[in-house]
């Protein structure tokens, strides 16, 4: 049912101006806000349909929120998203929240006040309530790389469970039994799925899961470095490491270099993202490569379709396959 | 002399609203715009002083414009700038112009319309007129990494001439005589100064400058890759290469790896930026390292001082020293 702003005015007794202000992301008094939200629910309206009726609400600007400007995956991704957006006449406002959910909340409010038409976000996972509030205002949100389990919004991801399984199974096929995984933060869906892929392969081949071989870090190089050192210091170190993000991969390589541990003769490694890395590292690194262009393209497409109203209703989950690119960083430990 | 908005209203006969709109970056009719600009000149007012008087003009938002989200130096820099800004209660709106001066112009207009208090920019060099117009509106601009020769605004840079000379002189001290340099685009001050440092050392030691050894690219990995291949294909290839940006450095390494040319036994290399790179590349790379924290700190400080009015008048040029970090990627060609 497509409602109009007038219906809400009638129902609440508030002025059209106040309701318009609310829908456009402006500040209204708490009491009025409650009234409007209640009216929208009671009338079973979809705010975005109402918002679409308000020509003034179009800023042709999309807010883009990422955890860090120093995260290679994120900057590559949004560089591509921005190119697509600008082809369609939209400007991007990019914000990073420095891996801090509190700052992420502030950036959401900031962008709403800047009257963005929509928000594309790589979320921390700790701001589901606030993202729901954005959606409740009729502002479309697309999450990329990560899914928010409690929220009904569009998402674009790769099949992390599957590709992680492929990488770990490749190790198993090369006779590795002590396979370590360095995961991202536990609250991020992507990190969890990569771990689940690892566990599923262990179950499939009835391999013992050694909790010492499962490390959780953040997505920084320093974290990959420290956790790799911890793995190397185990009484029985792994014969293979799966580094599940680009910066973690760099950290692992730097730790191995520091100890003069040769890849793959002394330790096998599969890294993540950035195919270019395999061209500058020797030996050429085997990597999980994500389809950056497809991710960016799908993200932009979903956002534009929501804004133009050609896509309505049920949130879409678009999932792409990542690719395991085998180079020279894995050999069988039996060939040592 | 500190003028007020009322003086301009009196002088032009326009309403306070129109003048306030102009000063805040809003659109006013061409004719009114001309009147206001003339009045400001005739009254010898500084728009920023007027703007400071208008409380409503404070958005506590700084626009940040960089050439590309895939440029490592830029994303590292603005990540730090943003951290400083947020400590002082400012939000950053980040835009990239995809190395396209036309888009750079659009982003300047976009940010003005978004009512930013100031703009921090890594400029292309082709938008001096437009940046002057921003300054004319009383919006402070700080350029980082690059100087705009025709514009009187604050800038924060490193001494590129000096550090480039140091790198080239290091090669000379290691008996290199055929030293190649891969520069950035000619219109960028930073690229020009790095080349000038190279030339000055050649003059100092009375070395012949072979134009074939001076290559100009853009700041992308692909460019470093292609230009390195071109250098290797010369009848008499260089014995040493100075790669003057991070992405160019990666491209050079990938070209050398592709041809199985060993660093430093077959070719010596000095790269640029990202100390982390020297931890993951073997042999550890000798690098020019820029003081990222100092650059970011000084940029933010200049901007805040302009906004708060504690710094007035003549533009400041803040120059830092970069550092040549010697590792294992350079040896004498005589020791081959």
């Amino acid at each position: 049912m497509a409602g109009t702003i007038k219906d809400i005015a009638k129902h609440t007794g508030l002025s059209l101006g106040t309701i318009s202000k609310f829908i456009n992301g402006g500040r209204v008094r708490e009491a009025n806000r409650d009234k409007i939200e209640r009216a929208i629910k009671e009338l079973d309206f979809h705010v975005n349909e109402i918002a679409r009726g308000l020509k003034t609400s179009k800023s042709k600007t999309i807010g883009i929120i990422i955890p860090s400007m120093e995260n290679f995956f994120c900057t590559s991704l949004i560089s591509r998203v921005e190119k697509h957006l600008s082809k369609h006449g939209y400007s991007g406002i990019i914000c990073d929240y420095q891996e801090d959910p509190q700052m992420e909340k502030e950036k959401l409010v900031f962008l709403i006040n800047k009257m963005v038409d929509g928000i594309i976000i790589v979320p921390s996972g700790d701001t589901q309530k606030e993202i729901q509030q954005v959606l409740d205002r009729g502002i479309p949100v697309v999450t990329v790389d990560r899914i928010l389990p409690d929220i009904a919004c569009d998402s674009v991801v790769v099949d992390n469970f599957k590709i992680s399984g492929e990488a770990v199974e490749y190790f198993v096929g090369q006779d590795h039994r002590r396979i370590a995984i360095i995961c991202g933060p536990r609250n991020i869906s992507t990190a969890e799925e990569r771990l689940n892929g690892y566990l599923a392969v262990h179950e499939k081949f009835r391999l013992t899961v050694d909790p010492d071989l499962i490390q959780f870090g953040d997505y920084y190089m320093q974290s990959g470095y420290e956790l790799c050192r911890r793995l190397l210091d185990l009484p029985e170190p792994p014969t293979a490491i799966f580094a599940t993000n680009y910066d973690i991969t760099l950290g692992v390589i730097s730790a191995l270099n520091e100890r003069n541990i040769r890849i793959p003769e002394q330790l096998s490694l599969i890294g993540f993202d950035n195919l270019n890395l395999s061209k500058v590292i020797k030996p050429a690194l085997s990597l999980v490569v994500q389809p950056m262009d497809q991710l960016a393209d799908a993200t932009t497409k979903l956002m534009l379709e929501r804004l133009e109203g050609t896509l309505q209703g049920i949130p879409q989950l678009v999932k792409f396959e990542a690719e395991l690119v085998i180079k020279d960083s894995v050999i069988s430990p039996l060939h040592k």
Side-chain angles (χ1 to χ4, degrees), chain A:
Chain A
M1 176 186 179
T4 73
I5 185 169
K6 282 187 190 161
D7 297 317
I8 300 174
K10 214 170 152 189
H11 199 85
T12 57
L14 296 171
S15 74
L16 290 177
T18 303
I19 296 159
S20 158
K21 200 172 170 193
F22 168 82
I23 288 171
N24 281 311
R27 283 182 192 203
V28 298
R29 274 193 297 158
E30 187 89 8
N32 291 344
R33 193 199 144 106
D34 287 349
K35 271 190 200 166
I36 297 170
E37 289 183 333
R38 213 162 37 234
I40 287 168
K41 260 191 199 147
E42 285 170 10
L43 294 168
D44 192 25
F45 284 169
H46 296 288
V47 182
N48 54 345
E49 288 170 4
I50 298 163
R52 264 199 294 281
L54 290 173
K55 287 236 167 108
T56 51
S57 72
K58 298 287 182 193
S59 67
K60 288 294 225 176
T61 305
I62 307 294
I64 303 172
I65 307 183
I66 58 172
S68 163
M69 291 296 296
E70 300 203 76
N71 178 305
F72 170 82
F73 169 82
C74 288
T75 54
S76 311
L77 182 74
I78 62 172
S79 173
R80 289 168 168 81
V81 167
E82 260 229 306
K83 272 176 206 160
H84 285 296
L85 286 176
S86 66
K87 260 185 232 151
H88 289 87
Y90 282 82
S91 286
I93 293 185
I94 301 165
C95 295
D96 79 291
Y97 56 87
Q98 299 165 29
E99 315 272 358
D100 173 3
Q102 185 53 41
M103 186 175 284
E104 186 185 5
K105 289 175 197 172
E106 288 165 19
K107 295 293 183 181
L108 285 165
V109 173
F110 174 76
L111 288 174
I112 290 172
N113 288 335
K114 289 285 164 202
M115 308 290 242
V116 295
D117 295 337
I119 292 179
I120 291 169
I121 186 167
V122 180
S124 70
D126 292 333
T127 58
Q128 300 204 60
K129 197 179 124 212
E130 289 73 15
I131 290 176
Q132 185 60 55
Q133 286 168 356
V134 174
L135 289 164
D136 289 346
R137 280 173 181 265
I139 299 171
V141 175
V142 179
T143 73
V144 205
D145 182 54
R146 303 169 189 181
I147 295 167
L148 296 173
D150 300 339
I151 288 194
C153 76
D154 299 317
S155 294
V156 178
V157 294
V158 303
D159 191 337
N160 284 289
F161 175 80
K162 189 175 169 197
I163 193 65
S164 175
E166 281 178 30
V168 176
E169 193 158 341
Y170 183 80
F171 278 139
V172 174
Q174 297 284 313
D175 309 317
H176 288 278
R177 294 298 175 266
R178 284 192 66 72
I179 303 162
I181 182 168
I182 303 183
C183 307
R186 285 170 206 254
N187 59 337
I188 293 177
S189 65
T190 310
E192 197 188 339
E193 286 184 19
R194 289 175 193 164
L195 176 59
N196 287 341
Y198 169 94
L199 294 173
V201 170
H202 279 69
E203 200 177 315
K204 179 176 169 187
F205 291 95
R206 296 167 190 276
L207 302 175
T208 315
V209 173
D210 179 350
D212 282 347
L213 296 182
I214 300 172
Q215 298 288 339
F216 294 91
D218 56 38
Y219 282 141
Y220 282 97
M221 180 169 170
Q222 184 63 23
S223 177
Y225 168 80
E226 283 164 12
L227 295 175
C228 179
R229 284 166 53 106
R230 192 181 299 169
L231 289 168
L232 297 172
D233 288 337
L234 287 176
E236 195 187 344
T239 60
I241 296 180
F242 180 31
T244 63
N245 134 299
Y246 174 66
D247 302 282
I248 287 175
T249 304
L250 291 181
V252 167
I253 297 171
S254 74
L256 296 176
N257 282 351
E258 187 185 75
R259 299 215 182 170
N260 286 312
I261 293 173
R262 290 194 313 282
I263 308 170
E265 292 83 355
Q266 295 173 276
L267 194 125
S268 289
L269 175 63
I270 294 180
F272 226 92
D273 290 331
N274 200 357
L275 205 50
N276 281 333
L277 186 68
S278 72
K279 294 179 188 160
V280 296
I281 303 274
K282 281 203 281 195
L285 213 57
S286 297
L287 283 174
V288 169
V289 178
Q290 303 195 63
M292 304 305 288
D293 286 321
Q294 289 182 346
L295 289 171
D297 192 39
T299 302
T300 315
K301 199 158 163 276
L302 273 179
M303 178 53 77
L304 294 177
E305 286 178 355
R306 287 286 176 200
L307 290 173
E308 287 156 12
T310 49
L311 176 66
Q312 296 196 20
I314 302 167
Q316 306 285 309
L317 173 62
V318 182
K319 207 177 249 193
F320 291 103
E321 303 275 307
E323 189 190 358
L324 179 63
V325 178
I326 295 299
K327 301 269 186 182
D328 310 322
S329 62
V330 180
I331 57 167
S332 163
L334 308 177
H335 296 163
K336 267 183 192 171

